[in-house]
Amino acid sequence: MTIIDQDEDIQLKAKHAAMWASGHYDAVATQLIAELGPVLVEAIGIRTGDLVLDVGAGSGNVAIPAALAGARVIASDLTPELLEQGEAHARERGAVLEWQVADAERLPYDDGQFDVAVSAVGIMFAPHHQAAADELLRVVTPGGRIGLVSWTPAGFIGQMFATMKPFVAPPPAGVQPPPLWGDEDHVRGLLGDRVTDVRTETRTVKVTLFAEPADFREFFKTNYGPTIAAYKQQPDAEKAAELDAALDGLAERFDVGESGYLVLEWEYLLLTARRA
């Protein structure tokens, strides 16, 4: 069992919640990666009658498609503001589900309560990976299904975090990099022999919203919490300009477009399994 100092953890989680509440993460979820939700719902076989927990649900990328597929869904997230945005989307789409503030590392649910637990680029941002994985497994009934989508370390978002790393303060002791959840060996190690029927596949999301690298950079400076936080840590305009150039270079490196218009492919790991 992972031992975490409770007072320090409360402070850390408050910072995380505030970071994700900054900007407009919903713009990222709806304009860039909306397809991830339906992909995960299909991969894990969510169906009518399933009781589903979405961990790190954000604004409902997976939770809403799961509810529309007929499941009973609880969408949980550390950040209330994201859940409020999700509730609005659910009303617009006619989806009925529950929205609950919850810490992925201290889920307020019973052992074996859910038939299915899912997370699309959500649980990967919990700072203590083993604690989050333990909770994910705990709340799923034996034989129940688990489905995860996580950005890979070598993919675009993983490399974006690597690009920003020299510009930000080091994380507290014990906090692990989010993209490790996109490393198959790492996730298998977290889940261990508590799962069976593990299946993995590496896929990509094609992003064509941006005409040029500067458009990508400004979108993330405005909307994406971790990028906003990185810029807040820059001591002066010169360092901010260095971060600008680093992010522009990242987009240029990953650009696969042929017509002068930016085309990015964001790699992720899709994992499905059953609790043993």
Side-chain angles (χ1 to χ4, degrees):
M1 177 180 292
T2 304
I3 299 175
I4 302 169
D5 182 274
Q6 189 168 358
D7 291 337
E8 292 180 1
D9 192 55
I10 289 172
Q11 296 177 23
L12 177 63
K13 299 298 173 53
K15 290 180 179 179
H16 276 221
M19 178 186 71
W20 288 108
S22 67
H24 307 279
Y25 177 74
D26 189 49
V28 178
T30 58
Q31 297 181 44
L32 302 180
I33 59 172
E35 68 185 72
L36 294 183
V39 162
L40 189 49
V41 168
E42 179 180 3
I44 202 65
I46 290 175
R47 54 187 179 266
T48 300
D50 281 337
L51 180 57
V52 178
L53 177 66
D54 186 0
V55 181
S59 55
N61 189 288
V62 184
I64 292 174
L68 292 173
R72 297 171 294 152
V73 180
I74 294 177
S76 67
D77 198 277
L78 189 66
T79 306
E81 291 85 348
L82 298 184
L83 297 178
E84 291 171 4
Q85 295 165 6
E87 286 186 275
H89 287 309
R91 286 193 297 269
E92 292 169 1
R93 298 177 63 181
V96 179
L97 62 154
E98 296 182 49
W99 303 85
Q100 298 180 357
V101 176
D103 180 350
E105 299 176 10
R106 299 174 186 271
L107 292 172
Y109 307 113
D110 294 336
D111 294 357
Q113 181 173 341
F114 296 92
D115 302 308
V116 184
V118 293
S119 187
V121 298
I123 196 173
M124 65 180 289
F125 290 99
H128 308 103
H129 294 186
Q130 192 63 65
D134 291 348
E135 281 293 273
L136 183 75
L137 289 163
R138 180 185 66 79
V139 300
V140 177
T141 190
R145 289 112 67 204
I146 295 166
L148 302 171
V149 165
S150 308
W151 301 123
T152 65
F156 182 83
I157 297 297
Q159 288 300 296
M160 185 182 75
F161 279 93
T163 297
M164 294 191 298
K165 183 178 180 179
F167 294 89
V168 299
V175 172
Q176 295 174 282
L180 279 178
W181 277 85
D183 179 278
E184 181 177 344
D185 290 339
H186 180 72
V187 182
R188 284 180 178 271
L190 295 174
L191 303 178
D193 60 4
R194 296 174 293 176
V195 294
T196 62
D197 301 329
V198 179
R199 299 182 181 182
T200 61
E201 183 181 350
T202 300
R203 299 187 182 183
T204 59
V205 173
K206 182 173 286 187
V207 175
T208 59
L209 182 66
F210 311 115
E212 56 187 32
D215 296 330
F216 147 74
R217 179 230 310 156
E218 291 303 314
F219 183 91
F220 269 67
K221 284 174 70 171
T222 301
N223 296 305
Y224 194 62
T227 310
I228 294 169
Y231 275 94
K232 285 182 177 179
Q233 294 183 51
Q234 302 318 300
D236 51 45
E238 182 177 350
K239 289 297 293 183
E242 289 182 19
L243 181 51
D244 282 349
L247 290 174
D248 287 355
L250 172 73
E252 291 168 359
R253 178 158 59 93
F254 275 84
D255 181 19
V256 296
E258 298 179 353
S259 61
Y261 199 90
L262 192 66
V263 177
L264 302 172
E265 293 182 344
W266 296 2
E267 184 181 76
Y268 63 90
L269 178 71
L270 171 65
L271 179 147
T272 61
R274 287 188 177 272
R275 181 180 168 187

